[in-house]
Amino acid sequence: MTSRKFFVGGNWKMNGDKKSLGDLINTLNSAKINADTEVVCGAPSIYLDFTRSKLDAKIGVAAQNCYKVAKGAFTGEISPAMIKDCGVEWVILGHSERRHVFGESDELIGQKVAHALESGLGVIACIGEKLDEREAGITEKVVFAQTKVIADNVKDWSKVVIAYEPVWAIGTGKTASPQQAQEVHDKLRQWMKANISEDVANSVRIIYGGSVTGATCKELASQKDVDGFLVGGASLKPEFVDIINAKA
């Protein structure tokens, strides 16, 4: 059994300005953060440089998306090369808002994962079912298909974190119960064992996202296959520190 370092990502989404994010960064810099937890903040692309320059080096920074090539005529896009040039070491890919608000396909997300990893970025790759899919009983089918497209594009799993985010729980205030989260995380690990390798299944961190708060984080963190969180709204508030320290 490989020990997996607890991982907490904050996804700021399209929120904040220099003043409010500067205040949040000061809070994080002065907070007592469990050294056994890896922390990464996902900043809007226009604030990546600002965030990386202000945030303590012990906290990582992620872009919230990127494109599948290094440069070119792709108006409005950013590349892994640009992200790295800002000193940023992670990118979030395949978030449900990218999939369902902006229509990104599994295929495109797979191509982005491949290029980001080839460029030396760490990838927080998101998967998760919608409410109608869960109600139809096809949760596993959906998340396995999404995971397969990611897996087909990964050579080095040490740079990948899988974020399971049931879409029906994102920003809705509904959280999957700790048992529901554990069940899917366990099934994902079994899928990885069967389709990638036992080593990868045991070492890859599978984190949970979907209305994680200071109130829900401790019980979720106690589940054996929940290796951390991808936090949305609460990552913009001081309670993010409580979530980071859920395992402390």
Side-chain angles (χ1 to χ4, degrees):
M1 163 67 198
T2 321
S3 70
R4 299 184 292 268
K5 186 170 189 177
F6 204 70
F7 184 102
V8 178
N11 179 8
W12 297 348
K13 305 191 180 181
M14 197 177 73
N15 291 298
D17 51 31
K18 284 186 179 174
K19 163 118 189 39
S20 65
L21 295 178
D23 291 346
L24 177 62
I25 289 165
N26 288 337
T27 300
L28 292 173
N29 286 348
S30 58
K32 196 169 170 343
I33 285 173
N34 181 2
D36 294 328
T37 297
E38 186 169 1
V39 183
V40 174
C41 292
S45 59
I46 201 164
Y47 296 136
L48 284 171
D49 217 350
F50 171 82
T51 302
R52 184 62 287 170
S53 64
K54 300 254 188 264
L55 199 55
D56 193 294
K58 69 176 182 286
I59 299 176
V61 178
Q64 297 174 13
N65 190 27
C66 67
Y67 198 50
K68 63 180 179 178
V69 293
K71 61 178 175 34
F74 303 102
T75 302
E77 292 291 323
I78 63 170
S79 71
M82 294 170 177
I83 293 166
K84 286 186 72 179
D85 194 36
C86 291
V88 170
E89 50 281 299
W90 289 90
V91 63
I92 301 169
L93 290 173
H95 191 279
S96 71
E97 287 145 12
R98 298 305 317 170
R99 293 173 187 269
H100 304 304
V101 180
F102 298 101
E104 292 191 10
S105 66
D106 268 340
E107 184 190 18
L108 175 61
I109 292 160
Q111 292 166 338
K112 289 181 176 196
V113 166
H115 179 63
L117 290 170
E118 281 158 13
S119 307
L121 286 178
V123 172
I124 301 166
C126 304
I127 58 173
E129 83 283 6
K130 296 190 293 202
L131 184 59
D132 58 342
E133 293 165 338
R134 175 162 280 265
E135 287 173 344
I138 57 169
T139 294
E140 281 171 51
K141 184 177 165 220
V142 171
V143 298
F144 291 168
Q146 292 170 336
T147 306
K148 183 180 185 329
V149 178
I150 292 161
D152 288 345
N153 287 284
V154 175
K155 293 187 181 79
D156 177 6
W157 281 92
S158 69
K159 306 277 285 192
V160 180
V161 171
I162 298 286
Y164 168 60
E165 297 198 292
V167 181
W168 48 272
I170 297 175
T172 59
K174 289 181 188 153
T175 313
S177 71
Q179 294 70 30
Q180 283 174 316
Q182 168 58 27
E183 184 187 6
V184 176
H185 286 227
D186 175 49
K187 294 232 167 81
L188 281 166
R189 236 179 262 295
Q190 290 175 27
W191 183 91
M192 288 178 164
K193 209 167 277 185
N195 295 278
I196 306 165
S197 77
E198 186 153 6
D199 279 354
V200 167
N202 289 333
S203 62
V204 167
R205 292 171 292 182
I206 306 176
I207 63 176
Y208 170 78
S211 299
V212 176
T213 63
T216 59
C217 66
K218 277 229 182 310
E219 201 190 342
L220 281 161
S222 71
Q223 305 299 309
K224 83 175 176 68
D225 289 296
V226 175
D227 302 315
F229 306 115
L230 187 57
V231 184
S235 70
L236 293 155
K237 301 174 188 159
E239 76 179 284
F240 186 50
V241 175
D242 300 329
I243 298 171
I244 292 169
N245 293 329
K247 273 291 232 212

